[in-house]
Amino acid sequence: MEQWKETMFVTLGWLISASAIVGNAILIYLIAFRQRLRSGTPNWFILSLAVADLFVGATYFPYNRGCNDTGCSQIHVHWLCVDLFLSASVTNLCLLTVDRYIAIVKPLQYLTFATKLKAVLAITAAWFFPIITALLPLSWTYIPLLPSTKAYSWKVFLMGTLIVYGIIPCVFLSLAIIHIILIVRKWRIQRSLVITQLDFNYSRSPREKQSHAVKEMSSVRLVVAVVVLFLACYLCGVCVRVMSVFGQLPDSVRKISIILILANSATNPVAYGLFKEDLKRELLCSFNAQKRFGHMTSII
């Protein structure tokens, strides 16, 4: 029974890791090489998040399997190889949420916020702080200190990163999403009243109203979907980190946390493809072009 569970865990882990790598690689390719997708700064934040998620898929499960087989005692290497990208994924998701929050809640202020320079600076900061955090353990790992001092330093470090990259983002993203949903709900009620009044005075086609509403709601659905996926997957990871700091961690809980974190990185590209209209159009165009090319090749 235990052997069967281990086999299922390994198989599922490799499949989800491969899905995270392929899905985010496709997303990175589309945004990097399609001019229409590079024109808007929101897609830059999605690109940065996709890069972080791709490296999560490429490093998280392979490193955990390697440590399980050989036994890894260098915790700072784990931070440099794995947790750096997990932290970058969290900071980039917070950045994307802030961008969409300002665009939805304060659209007039967003016109001055969404500049290329500010977007580049924000993305740089979203990567800079996780890199500095990952390098921080080197300050006490390779200097002569008492083992008890190093153990205490690691405990403080793990608690600090748990708060900064775990608890605070979960609380912030939850509050941001709740506020966005309330604002959008209030806005839709007001908009419905205005449209009803306009329809009473001027005739407008249902298709025109429907297409306009779908376009306006795509950004809301995207950020809500991505944040809900993050909270569903990472809340377990936060609990696991707390348990690892204060006590012994059951192996089954650790494995569930690994699968959920991988699942978050793998499902983000799916959310973009479903809820972001410009990405959905490019994906469909690419698929149709590939299908036509394959049909022509078979004819020749």
Side-chain angles (χ1 to χ4, degrees):
M1 187 66 179
E2 291 299 325
Q3 183 64 32
W4 179 82
K5 289 182 179 179
E6 181 67 18
T7 303
M8 288 295 296
F9 167 70
V10 173
T11 303
L12 190 60
W14 284 117
L15 286 175
I16 299 177
S17 296
S19 300
I21 294 171
V22 173
N24 286 287
I26 293 173
L27 190 63
I28 292 169
Y29 171 80
L30 288 175
I31 298 176
F33 292 97
R34 299 296 172 88
Q35 179 64 36
R36 287 173 292 187
L37 295 179
R38 295 201 308 269
S39 59
T41 54
N43 285 341
W44 294 12
F45 302 136
I46 293 177
L47 174 63
S48 183
L49 178 57
V51 171
D53 284 336
L54 185 147
F55 279 104
V56 170
T59 62
Y60 191 62
F61 191 74
Y63 188 91
N64 277 280
R65 291 309 302 164
C67 284
N68 185 66
D69 296 335
T70 62
C72 300
S73 58
Q74 304 298 323
I75 309 178
H76 63 280
V77 177
H78 183 276
W79 267 95
L80 289 172
C81 296
V82 178
D83 286 0
L84 163 62
F85 302 113
L86 289 174
S87 301
S89 179
V90 172
T91 54
N92 277 282
L93 177 58
C94 290
L95 180 61
L96 175 64
T97 305
V98 169
D99 175 78
R100 293 296 83 199
Y101 179 87
I102 298 175
I104 294 167
V105 179
K106 299 182 180 295
L108 296 180
Q109 289 85 335
Y110 183 76
L111 297 176
T112 60
F113 171 79
T115 63
K116 292 182 179 180
L117 177 59
K118 290 181 179 179
V120 171
L121 292 176
I123 292 172
T124 302
W127 281 92
F128 175 78
F129 290 107
I131 291 173
I132 294 300
T133 303
L135 294 174
L136 189 60
L138 299 178
S139 63
W140 65 78
T141 301
Y142 293 109
I143 60 176
L145 291 174
L146 294 174
S148 59
T149 304
K150 289 187 178 183
Y152 179 76
S153 299
W154 269 111
K155 195 165 187 177
V156 172
F157 175 77
L158 292 175
M159 281 301 301
T161 53
L162 172 65
I163 295 172
V164 173
Y165 296 107
I167 297 175
I168 292 178
C170 287
V171 173
F172 162 73
L173 292 172
S174 300
L175 294 177
I177 287 302
I178 292 173
H179 193 200
I180 287 174
I181 292 174
L182 292 176
I183 292 294
V184 170
R185 182 175 179 273
K186 180 181 178 181
W187 171 79
R188 291 185 69 177
I189 294 174
Q190 294 174 347
R191 180 178 178 273
S192 177
L193 293 175
V194 172
I195 289 178
T196 302
Q197 185 62 39
L198 290 175
D199 288 342
F200 180 79
N201 297 320
Y202 308 98
S203 62
R204 289 172 47 164
S205 65
R207 180 177 298 180
E208 177 188 352
K209 293 183 290 184
Q210 183 178 1
S211 62
H212 183 65
V214 168
K215 183 178 179 181
E216 290 174 333
M217 291 301 298
S218 63
S219 293
V220 179
R221 290 171 180 168
L222 169 66
V223 70
V224 170
V226 173
V227 170
V228 168
L229 286 171
F230 169 83
L231 292 173
C233 297
Y234 268 75
L235 281 176
C236 179
V238 171
C239 295
V240 166
R241 181 59 60 87
V242 172
M243 293 172 67
S244 65
V245 172
F246 291 103
Q248 188 66 27
L249 181 65
D251 187 61
S252 58
V253 176
R254 181 185 65 85
K255 290 179 179 179
I256 292 173
S257 172
I258 291 173
I259 293 300
L260 287 175
I261 289 174
L262 286 173
N264 178 72
S265 297
T267 52
N268 278 343
V270 178
Y272 303 140
L274 289 175
F275 297 111
K276 198 150 193 325
E277 293 299 322
D278 54 350
L279 287 173
K280 186 190 297 185
R281 284 195 302 268
E282 291 297 331
L283 283 170
L284 292 175
C285 289
S286 300
F287 176 77
N288 292 331
Q290 185 66 27
K291 189 175 180 180
R292 287 195 299 269
F293 178 77
H295 180 67
M296 292 175 61
T297 303
S298 62
I299 293 176
I300 295 174

